[in-house]
Amino acid sequence: MAGADPFRDDAPLVVSVRIERQGAELVASLALRDGQGHTRWADGLTTTSACEVLVAGVGLAIATQLLRAPERAPAEPSPAEPSSRGPAQAPREPPQAPPPAQATRDAPEQVGRAVPEPPRPAAPEPSTSSGEPSKADPSGPWRFVVGLGAIVGLGITPGVATGTTLAVGVHWSDWSVALEARGLVSLAKEVEGLPLGMTAFTATTVGCLRGRHLFGCGLATLGAVRFVPEDPWNMRLRSKALVGVGIRLGCAWRLSDRWSVNGHAEAIWIAEDAVLRRHVDPAVTPPPLYWTSPPLGAALGLGVTASY
């Protein structure tokens, strides 16, 4: 198979094999050198099976290299020639340049220690819709949202009103829809000298388009304004319904995967306003209005939101 006796003292090629155990594996280090001691080829094999499997692989690797080797053993010297030849009497074919990856390898002992393990496929990282790796969102594309906040309103009741807001809704992708309930109490205690207590209760449907921090919303409001005069006999409620539509602009800051805080400002066009009139005899000419809702209302809010 090699074309000549492979076991010679003056063989042009020398194969060395070293087998050792490293942990649970058997490691074989192989090297092929020329007559000058230059490494022509080096390789390493590992197995966790029996030694016979490793030896069979070593033999196959050596046989493959010998079949591809361009050199053959020199012819036997004739009796008339001296038994020993100098370097000039043993012409050899010029050695082929070893591949760069093989020429830089060290002795078989070092090769055995540097045998790389077979590459293992890396687990794919979860990614967001933009393709960037990120941790997976356990809540999925739909999230249930609950919010609680404080609000200051102007134009919904006489004077400035303050109150609280409770909201429930859902978020998906960049959109959200929520239903908000509000309770407001006017800071004003009278209207044109008439002592009054004034409160408002509204339900608002809010649909929003959200960016990373900013959001814009459209909203529709339905509610009622309650007037409580100290002297109930000289005032009556002409109308207390309140209907309006508006827009909202705001900003949200995420505190964690679940919690965030937000602030917003909104403007409301009041389509159906609340009107306050004096209680008089129907036969008498109607008195002037004491108060009616302005065409536009405004509100500022600050709150905290939890998503599930």
Side-chain angles (χ1 to χ4, degrees):
M1 182 176 182
D5 183 7
F7 302 102
R8 294 176 55 87
D9 293 337
D10 59 346
L13 298 175
V14 178
V15 177
S16 61
V17 179
R18 177 178 179 178
I19 298 177
E20 59 182 351
R21 177 174 293 278
Q22 295 183 3
E25 296 183 336
L26 290 174
V27 180
S29 304
L30 297 81
L32 178 65
R33 298 184 178 86
D34 58 20
Q36 284 74 36
H38 299 148
T39 301
R40 300 282 300 277
W41 163 76
D43 201 353
L45 302 174
T46 62
T47 182
T48 56
S49 303
C51 183
E52 293 82 355
V53 177
L54 183 61
V55 172
V58 169
L60 180 59
I62 294 174
T64 302
Q65 290 299 320
L66 292 179
L67 286 176
R68 293 190 298 183
E71 305 177 16
R72 293 291 182 265
E76 292 289 337
S78 62
E81 296 177 351
S83 57
S84 61
R85 296 182 179 180
Q89 296 175 343
R92 293 189 179 93
E93 299 179 6
Q96 296 180 350
Q102 298 175 358
T104 56
R105 295 188 179 179
D106 296 326
E109 293 80 2
Q110 297 176 346
V111 174
R113 290 194 294 270
V115 174
E117 295 184 358
R120 297 182 174 88
E125 296 183 354
S127 60
T128 61
S129 57
S130 61
E132 299 178 356
S134 66
K135 58 184 180 179
D137 184 1
S139 59
W142 292 83
R143 291 174 294 160
F144 178 69
V145 179
V146 178
L148 182 65
I151 192 168
V152 177
L154 181 64
I156 300 173
T157 65
V160 178
T162 61
T164 58
T165 299
L166 176 64
V168 293
V170 292
H171 285 193
W172 74 98
S173 185
D174 297 330
W175 297 89
S176 67
V177 175
L179 180 63
E180 297 182 356
R182 295 180 179 178
L184 297 170
V185 177
S186 177
L187 300 181
K189 299 303 181 182
E190 61 180 30
V191 176
E192 295 189 8
L194 181 66
L196 290 171
M198 296 161 284
T199 56
F201 301 93
T202 63
T204 304
T205 301
V206 184
C208 299
L209 174 62
R210 297 179 175 271
R212 183 176 181 182
H213 295 295
L214 302 178
F215 59 87
C217 312
L219 52 91
T221 297
L222 175 64
V225 180
R226 176 181 173 85
F227 302 99
V228 183
E230 292 186 0
D231 184 1
W233 301 108
N234 65 352
M235 297 294 293
R236 67 186 178 92
L237 298 179
R238 176 66 179 268
S239 174
K240 65 177 181 178
L242 183 68
V243 178
V245 294
I247 59 173
R248 174 185 297 177
L249 298 176
C251 184
W253 299 269
R254 183 169 291 278
L255 302 178
S256 66
D257 290 341
R258 174 167 294 181
W259 295 95
S260 63
V261 295
N262 61 84
H264 68 267
E266 63 185 46
I268 305 171
W269 176 62
I270 301 176
E272 179 69 24
D273 55 353
V275 179
L276 178 66
R277 292 180 182 272
R278 185 187 300 274
H279 180 77
V280 294
D281 188 340
V284 180
T285 302
L289 294 175
Y290 271 82
W291 183 85
T292 182
S293 302
L296 291 176
L300 297 174
L302 182 66
V304 60
T305 300
S307 59
Y308 300 89

